[in-house]
Amino acid sequence: TLLGCTPGTYTLESVIQCGSATLSWFDDVFDTSHQTAAEWDTLVQDVPPGSHGLLVVPHWRGVRVPHNDPVARGTVLGWNDRVTAATFRRAIMEGMGFEFSQLLELAEATTGQRVNSVVVGGGGARADVWCGILADIMARPVVRPATVELSSLGAALCARAALRPNDAATPTVLDSQADTFTPHPRTRALYAELRTVHAGVYERTRTIAHDLRRVFKADLQH
């Protein structure tokens, strides 16, 4: 919890230790330079929800909220002969979506307030398939403003609110050009089941991750 930019307000912040960087890792390791971002989005869109049973827990660099475990590591379950590079990429996106959903539910439980829609920004938000996956997993509309550079815009809005607290004409990022992605009922139901499975993976694999840390501790220290 961070202090807000005006008195009496606060920001409830959470984080995924390795979010979109997991996709950057995928691109680097599998040398995806022969495919454009738009082509990858098309390939991922063609993979059915649930990624043919491939489930990813993206703890590539440990996990902060809610487990606070730097030793945790990524888990990929459900390898089978239907898995392709596009399948793995979608599974990573879904894995991050499950993490986002968990953090959102924690925020709602902490504040006692329901979040009716989610605003997304950043480079990943430019992909329709990514926004659709998030909407289906979080079971609520995902809104993408005309500008996806929300960090800089948010800082500017906070500065304005602090310097001009009595200004009623505070601008909003939700303009008429925003795109809205609504959950698909059938996909939403599937993801609800998978979200429950995903939520239990950390506890079931925690001991294994810590055992690996113990075995390879000397190597990790170098």
Side-chain angles (χ1 to χ4, degrees):
T1 303
L2 308 175
L3 288 175
C5 59
T6 56
T9 65
Y10 65 92
T11 298
L12 189 62
E13 183 181 61
S14 193
V15 65
I16 292 179
Q17 190 73 354
C18 191
S20 296
T22 318
L23 286 176
S24 297
W25 165 87
F26 175 91
D27 291 337
D28 292 340
V29 170
F30 293 97
D31 186 20
T32 64
S33 57
H34 59 286
Q35 300 278 8
T36 66
E39 288 171 336
W40 269 118
D41 292 341
T42 299
L43 291 172
V44 168
Q45 186 71 64
D46 289 339
V47 176
S51 302
H52 296 302
L54 195 68
L55 184 69
V56 172
V57 179
H59 295 168
W60 265 229
R61 300 174 185 169
V63 58
R64 291 172 67 179
V65 182
H67 306 294
N68 193 28
D69 184 359
V71 180
R73 287 296 176 263
T75 304
V76 185
L77 298 170
W79 290 108
N80 61 81
D81 57 7
R82 300 177 71 186
V83 171
T84 64
T87 307
F88 191 14
R89 191 180 184 87
R90 183 181 181 105
I92 291 174
M93 289 180 172
E94 291 174 339
M96 285 188 285
F98 293 135
E99 293 284 315
F100 291 145
S101 180
Q102 183 181 45
L103 299 183
L104 181 61
E105 290 171 357
L106 286 170
E108 289 179 326
T110 300
T111 62
Q113 297 182 18
R114 165 75 178 178
V115 175
N116 294 319
S117 62
V118 176
V119 179
V120 295
R126 295 186 178 93
D128 289 357
V129 62
W130 175 232
C131 294
I133 288 172
L134 292 178
D136 289 336
I137 288 178
M138 291 190 285
R140 65 202 77 197
V142 164
V143 180
R144 179 179 61 195
T147 174
V148 294
E149 299 303 333
L150 297 186
S151 296
S152 299
L153 180 58
L157 293 177
C158 285
R160 177 186 173 122
L163 294 172
R164 305 172 64 178
N166 297 321
D167 188 353
T170 301
T172 175
V173 298
L174 299 181
D175 51 44
S176 60
Q177 298 180 9
D179 298 316
T180 300
F181 300 82
T182 57
H184 187 282
R186 183 176 298 176
T187 308
R188 171 180 172 176
L190 171 65
Y191 280 147
E193 292 188 72
L194 287 176
R195 189 168 62 243
T196 300
V197 176
H198 180 275
V201 172
Y202 167 76
E203 291 295 345
R204 296 177 182 180
T205 60
R206 178 183 180 279
T207 300
I208 296 173
H210 282 252
D211 286 345
L212 288 172
R213 169 75 177 195
R214 175 180 52 79
V215 171
F216 293 104
K217 185 176 181 179
D219 291 339
L220 292 172
Q221 288 176 341
H222 296 290

